[in-house]
């Protein structure tokens, strides 16, 4: 009997552990679903902003496709919730079956003990049972047995009540899980309907853009030419910075050697003067030892030049530490073309982007994403571009109508550096790039804040 009670307790403890784990997982899934819904709501707001433009853009298509992906993720999370709830339901059924079987066993055993007690209820029988013992010790054992048997019956009654209570709780939890599953299934069906609507919305946008495919092809050709010029300008700017820094390091090394030579000559002159001195006091004086300066390190590659001086290295380190937290350069997060390869379903577009292209209202403020120095300002066709230097990193802002900073100027995070040129219909597209001293373009989305 004691073994059965222990099995029951272990079963209940295991069930409670599984329930706690599932509750934690369910809470995590609900948090995921809320985060996805928040992102979907933000995308809806951004899509609403694109409706003011007459012409459909790749930015709108990107937003619609991203919304679709998020909706599919949300449905997957809801499906995970349903599976988790079903797992709870299955476990609850198993526990109910076990508890009912245990309850039946307890009731049968209790019934037997009650019948036995009823048959032997006479005080005479109990007294006779004790006094019929062969010795005093045996009588004491018989008294202890009767006492423990009474306690056993009482414990049986408690076990039955506890098992009954646990069974009722399990049934209650089961009913709650069923309601929760029903609610989750309703939500899933609702999301499937919304997904179908959003797929139709995406198809409509693709169809509209496809009707403008000739203009889009011209735009892609123009962008490719502009990007090539931009790439050449960034490369030239980085080379100029490296050359200027090499010159600066050479000057520092020249200054160091000049100081070292002057100190050596001064020490030699002091030593010669000391020898000529006749007084013992002067003779005992030791000439001051010149302070030796560290020679400027020589880089093994041109790109390493921007990592030698402590001032530049510190700026690079601080910029790196802010990866994933840099502010966006414009008050919009509508990405027309992401970094790297861009291919759109249903459209003849296959483009390798050097940075990210952000759609925003024409004349929007373009701001520095980090403290730095204006490395270059140049013109590409009818638009202007600015390159800022942040240690060994460079950020480029292109498609500006006006530039509000000058070359060599120190800028702060969030400082206005220019205005966005209008592309058509009141909208513009900022080309934003992040490049390192090896002239490798980095994915700006990994650097900008979420």
């Amino acid at each position: 009997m004691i073994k059965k009670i222990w099995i029951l307790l272990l079963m209940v403890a295991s069930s409670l552990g599984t329930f706690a784990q599932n509750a934690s997982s369910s809470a995590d899934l609900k948090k995921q679903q809320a985060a996805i819904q928040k992102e979907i709501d933000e995308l809806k707001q951004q899509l609403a902003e694109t409706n003011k433009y007459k012409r459909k853009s790749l930015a709108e298509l990107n937003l619609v496709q991203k919304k679709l992906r998020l909706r599919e993720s949300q449905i997957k999370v809801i499906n995970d919730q349903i599976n988790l709830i079903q797992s709870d339901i299955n476990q609850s059924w198993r526990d109910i079956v076990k508890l009912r079987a245990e309850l039946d066993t307890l009731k049968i055993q209790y019934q037997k003990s009650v019948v036995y007690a009823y048959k032997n209820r006479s005080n005479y029988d109990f007294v006779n049972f004790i006094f019929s013992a062969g010795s005093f010790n045996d009588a004491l054992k018989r008294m202890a047995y009767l006492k423990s048997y009474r306690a056993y019956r009482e414990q049986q009654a408690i076990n039955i009540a506890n098992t009954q209570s646990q069974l009722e709780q399990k049934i209650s939890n089961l009913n709650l899980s069923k309601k929760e599953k029903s609610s989750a299934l309703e939500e899933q069906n609702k999301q499937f309907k919304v997904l179908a609507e959003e797929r139709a919305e995406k198809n409509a946008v693709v169809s509209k853009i496809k009707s403008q495919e000739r203009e889009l092809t011209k735009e892609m050709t123009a962008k490719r030419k502009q990007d090539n010029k931009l790439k050449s300008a960034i490369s030239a700017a980085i080379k100029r910075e490296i050359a200027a820094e090499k010159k600066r390091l050479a000057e520092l090394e020249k200054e160091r050697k000049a100081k070292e030579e002057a100190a050596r000559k001064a020490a030699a002159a002091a030593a010669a003067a000391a020898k000529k001195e006749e007084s013992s006091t002067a003779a005992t004086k030791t000439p001051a030892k010149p302070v030796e300066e560290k020679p400027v390190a020589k880089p093994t590659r041109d790109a390493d030049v921007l990592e030698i001086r402590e001032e530049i290295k510190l700026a690079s380190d601080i910029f790196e530490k802010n990866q994933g937290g840099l502010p966006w350069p414009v008050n919009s997060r509508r990405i027309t073309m992401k970094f790297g390869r861009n291919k759109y379903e249903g459209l003849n577009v296959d483009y390798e982007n050097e940075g990210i292209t952000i759609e925003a209202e024409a004349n929007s403020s373009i701001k520095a994403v980090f403290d730095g120095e204006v490395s270059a300002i140049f013109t590409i066709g009818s638009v202007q571009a600015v390159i800022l230097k942040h240690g060994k990193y460079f950020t480029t802002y292109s498609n500006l109508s006006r530039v509000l900073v000058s070359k060599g100027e120190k800028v702060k995070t969030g400082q206005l550096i220019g205005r966005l040129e209008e592309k058509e219909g009141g909208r513009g597209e900022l080309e934003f790039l992040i490049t390192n001293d090896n002239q490798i373009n980095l994915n700006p989305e990994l650097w900008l804040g979420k």
Side-chain angles (χ1 to χ4, degrees):
M1 180 62 203
I2 294 172
K3 185 179 178 183
K4 287 185 178 180
I5 293 170
W6 273 109
I7 291 170
L8 176 64
L9 291 172
L10 286 171
M11 182 187 75
V12 171
S14 173
S15 173
L16 289 171
T18 304
F19 176 77
Q21 186 179 358
N22 286 355
S24 174
S25 301
S26 178
D28 290 341
L29 288 171
K30 283 176 182 176
K31 280 182 185 176
Q32 282 182 40
Q33 192 179 347
I36 291 169
Q37 187 57 52
K38 185 181 177 183
E39 200 168 348
I40 287 172
D41 292 340
E42 288 173 358
L43 286 174
K44 282 181 179 177
Q45 188 178 348
Q46 290 182 44
L47 276 165
E49 290 171 5
T50 65
N51 289 336
K52 68 179 92 172
Y53 307 127
K54 290 182 181 179
R55 186 178 164 189
K56 296 291 181 185
S57 68
L58 291 175
E60 186 173 356
L61 181 55
N62 263 332
L63 290 171
V64 170
Q65 287 179 330
K66 189 174 181 183
K67 186 150 65 85
L68 267 175
R69 288 193 297 271
L70 286 170
R71 189 72 64 189
E72 286 166 354
S73 297
Q74 192 172 46
I75 289 170
K76 184 183 179 301
V77 170
I78 293 171
N79 192 57
D80 290 343
Q81 283 180 308
I82 291 168
N83 291 337
L84 195 63
I85 293 166
Q86 187 58 52
S87 174
D88 283 342
I89 289 171
N90 295 341
Q91 184 61 47
S92 292
W93 271 120
R94 285 193 291 270
D95 291 344
I96 286 168
V97 169
K98 286 179 184 177
L99 286 168
R100 279 176 175 165
E102 189 64 35
L103 188 62
D104 289 343
T105 303
L106 287 170
K107 283 180 177 178
I108 290 167
Q109 289 173 344
Y110 186 69
Q111 185 181 6
K112 285 179 180 178
S113 66
V114 168
V115 169
Y116 177 80
Y118 178 78
K119 287 180 178 179
N120 297 279
R121 67 188 181 279
S122 166
N123 288 333
Y124 173 77
D125 290 335
F126 281 109
V127 171
N128 189 42
F129 175 68
I130 292 168
F131 281 100
S132 64
S135 66
F136 180 72
N137 285 337
D138 189 24
L140 287 175
K141 286 178 182 178
R142 292 188 179 201
M143 286 177 68
Y145 168 75
L146 290 172
K147 190 176 179 181
S148 64
Y149 186 72
R150 192 182 304 114
Y152 164 69
R153 284 207 325 274
E154 290 172 357
Q155 186 60 48
Q156 274 187 316
I158 292 169
N159 288 342
I160 289 170
N162 287 342
T163 306
Q164 185 69 47
S165 174
Q166 288 165 14
L167 181 60
E168 288 170 2
Q169 184 62 49
K170 280 289 173 187
I171 292 169
S172 175
N173 289 341
L174 177 64
N175 291 332
L176 285 173
S177 293
K178 284 179 177 178
K179 285 180 183 177
E180 194 177 353
K181 182 184 175 182
S182 177
S183 176
L185 284 168
E186 283 179 19
E187 180 62 26
Q188 189 182 50
N189 289 332
K190 178 184 168 185
Q191 294 298 331
F192 272 125
K193 287 177 184 176
V194 176
L195 180 65
E197 291 169 4
E198 288 175 345
R199 279 179 177 155
E201 180 190 6
K202 185 209 78 174
N203 292 337
V205 174
V206 170
S207 177
K208 188 70 177 175
I209 294 175
K210 198 167 179 63
S211 69
Q212 305 160 353
E213 199 159 12
R214 186 178 293 177
E215 291 88 344
L216 186 61
T217 303
K218 285 181 182 177
E219 285 179 14
M220 290 296 105
T221 303
K223 176 172 165 56
R224 189 167 280 107
K225 288 178 182 177
Q226 185 183 8
D227 283 356
N228 287 335
K229 288 179 182 177
L230 195 60
K231 188 176 181 179
S232 298
I234 293 169
S235 176
I238 293 173
K239 284 177 181 176
R240 281 197 302 272
E241 290 292 345
I242 289 173
E245 187 60 24
K246 284 172 82 174
K247 186 178 178 183
R248 170 71 175 152
L249 292 174
E251 287 172 355
L252 288 172
E253 181 63 9
K254 189 177 178 181
E255 285 177 17
R256 185 194 69 79
K257 286 182 176 178
K259 285 180 183 177
E260 194 179 74
E261 182 62 22
R264 188 187 63 75
K265 286 179 179 178
K275 284 181 182 179
K276 291 179 181 179
E277 287 289 339
E278 292 180 358
S279 68
S280 59
T281 308
T284 56
K285 283 185 180 178
T286 306
K289 193 175 181 181
V291 178
E292 289 185 11
E293 290 186 22
K294 257 188 178 180
V296 177
K298 290 184 179 180
T300 55
R301 301 177 305 159
D302 278 355
D304 295 333
V305 168
L306 298 180
E307 293 190 82
I308 292 173
R309 276 200 298 138
E310 196 60 37
E311 177 188 341
I312 298 177
K313 191 176 184 306
L314 182 62
S316 302
D317 291 344
I318 296 171
F319 188 80
E320 286 172 358
K321 284 176 184 174
N322 281 273
Q323 183 175 357
L326 296 176
W328 282 61
V330 64
N331 256 353
S332 167
R333 300 190 180 191
R334 302 194 302 271
I335 295 177
T336 305
M337 299 190 83
K338 61 184 176 65
F339 175 80
R341 192 181 180 198
N342 287 262
K343 196 166 177 61
Y344 301 88
E345 184 186 338
L347 296 176
N348 187 26
V349 176
D350 191 349
Y351 194 90
E352 193 74 27
N353 210 21
E354 301 286 347
I356 56 172
T357 308
I358 309 170
E359 179 187 83
E361 288 187 36
N363 205 41
S364 290
S365 299
I366 307 302
K367 300 172 184 178
V369 297
F370 204 68
D371 295 353
E373 181 183 328
V374 180
S375 175
I377 298 170
F378 50 94
T379 301
I380 302 176
S382 61
V383 297
Q384 291 179 283
V386 175
I387 298 177
L388 301 183
K389 180 176 70 171
H390 317 275
K392 68 174 183 177
Y393 295 96
F394 299 82
T395 55
T396 304
Y397 314 74
S398 184
N399 285 346
L400 307 184
S401 59
R402 280 191 298 157
V403 172
L404 304 173
V405 288
S406 54
K407 191 176 183 307
E409 182 181 341
K410 301 283 186 184
V411 296
K412 291 289 183 184
T413 304
Q415 183 177 328
L416 183 64
I417 59 174
R419 298 283 179 185
L420 186 61
E421 170 78 354
E422 181 177 15
K423 184 176 181 179
E424 44 84 25
R427 61 182 282 272
E429 288 183 345
L430 174 71
E431 299 290 350
F432 178 67
L433 297 86
I434 300 179
T435 314
N436 64 18
D437 53 348
N438 288 311
Q439 299 186 37
I440 295 172
N441 291 317
L442 310 171
N443 186 353
E445 283 193 79
L446 300 179
W447 290 77
L448 298 173
K450 300 297 180 188

